[in-house]
Amino acid sequence: EAQVTQNPRYLITVTGKKLTVTCSQNMNHEYMSWYRQDPGLGLRQIYYSMNVEVTDKGDVPEGYKVSRKEKRNFPLILESPSPNQTSLYFCASSPHLAGAGKTQYFGPGTRLLVL
Amino acid sequence: GENVEQHPSTLSVQEGDSAVIKCTYSDSASNYFPWYKQELGKRPQLIIDIRSNVGEKKDQRIAVTLNKTAKHFSLHITETQPEDSAVYFCAATTDDRGSTLGRLYFGRGTQLTVWP
């Protein structure tokens, strides 16, 4: 089954404790992206990747890191989480090198609470 | 960069009525405009999209219109049903080569409630 998976789905952590949210897709998509969703603010792009070893900043990259060592995986790293990073995070992938200009398939979301 | 504004933020309609959600964008280079539906507790899912070389696109009860000159696009849902209740997001991007390739800009969303 074609899908985008994220782990963990729910996470409670404390300020400053490094964490990684994994994202994996089995559709051989070139393009992958991370978004955060906050009430009243919609979806905001954190980072995206056009292909392996190619990543770039979105609207709100501060406090996040990403890597794209393999085509299928695009982990989101919070080196020192802070309470303002409490949010719902979505990973998405798309089958085309034309950036975000194709249908994006979203993962199920990761709800993060930073105390 | 691109700025996408979406209105209204909430919309309540009676079952069977039509619903219209409007978005404006600022970057004339944007040429792809998807709409996503997000049901409560679920992930966003694409429901319809339109490219800048097309003025209107329909898929059963939903349609999207685009006015490139005015830089606005709209989602129209006819004969609404309770299962249409969700948050709807518009978005804009470009699939041409350029500095913003890869960026997807979302509106803030519209909570649509359809009353039986």
Side-chain angles (χ1 to χ4, degrees):
Chain A
E1 179 191 353
Q3 59 182 349
V4 179
T5 57
Q6 293 178 229
N7 282 292
R9 296 288 315 280
Y10 305 91
L11 180 59
I12 302 174
T13 189
V14 295
T15 298
K17 186 177 180 183
K18 181 179 178 180
L19 67 92
T20 299
V21 184
T22 64
C23 175
S24 183
Q25 50 93 5
N26 62 0
M27 297 171 278
N28 202 37
H29 288 172
E30 289 92 356
Y31 178 91
M32 297 184 76
S33 184
W34 276 103
Y35 302 90
R36 60 178 289 174
Q37 183 174 16
D38 302 289
L41 297 178
L43 289 146
R44 294 179 292 167
Q45 194 170 31
I46 304 171
Y47 270 95
Y48 63 96
S49 170
M50 299 287 281
N51 214 328
V52 176
E53 302 292 359
V54 180
T55 63
D56 214 336
K57 297 177 181 178
D59 287 319
V60 288
E62 297 79 17
Y64 304 96
K65 285 174 58 178
V66 292
S67 68
R68 187 91 182 274
K69 295 186 172 62
E70 312 164 274
K71 201 172 194 180
R72 62 181 293 128
N73 296 323
F74 189 44
L76 180 70
I77 303 154
L78 285 71
E79 294 269 2
S80 183
S82 63
N84 65 12
Q85 292 178 298
T86 292
S87 188
L88 176 60
Y89 291 87
F90 286 102
C91 178
S93 72
S94 171
H96 203 275
L97 275 174
K102 290 287 182 181
T103 302
Q104 291 199 29
Y105 297 87
F106 282 80
T110 295
R111 193 167 290 280
L112 173 65
L113 173 61
V114 183
L115 300 172
Chain B
E2 175 66 280
N3 180 43
V4 177
E5 296 198 354
Q6 182 172 347
H7 299 280
S9 57
T10 60
L11 179 60
S12 293
V13 299
Q14 203 74 33
E15 182 177 2
D17 288 349
S18 295
V20 180
I21 302 170
K22 299 182 179 182
C23 289
T24 61
Y25 63 99
S26 60
D27 189 350
S28 57
S30 292
N31 62 359
Y32 174 68
F33 306 92
W35 284 88
Y36 286 86
K37 175 183 180 181
Q38 187 179 27
E39 296 176 350
L40 189 63
K42 301 282 183 66
R43 71 193 79 186
Q45 291 196 301
L46 181 78
I47 55 170
I48 196 166
D49 56 12
I50 191 167
R51 296 195 176 274
S52 59
N53 58 348
V54 175
E56 183 176 0
K57 184 177 178 180
K58 286 184 181 179
D59 183 3
Q60 299 183 336
R61 294 187 298 108
I62 60 172
V64 56
T65 58
L66 171 65
N67 183 325
K68 282 172 52 179
T69 304
K71 296 199 190 75
H72 67 71
F73 56 113
S74 301
L75 178 71
H76 303 253
I77 306 174
T78 59
E79 300 172 24
T80 53
Q81 301 167 3
E83 51 265 40
D84 293 329
S85 296
V87 179
Y88 291 81
F89 293 98
C90 63
T93 187
T94 177
D95 62 2
D96 292 330
R97 298 295 164 184
S99 61
T100 57
L101 186 67
R103 298 292 303 276
L104 184 61
Y105 301 89
F106 283 88
R108 294 192 174 195
T110 297
Q111 172 68 62
L112 173 65
T113 303
V114 181
W115 299 100

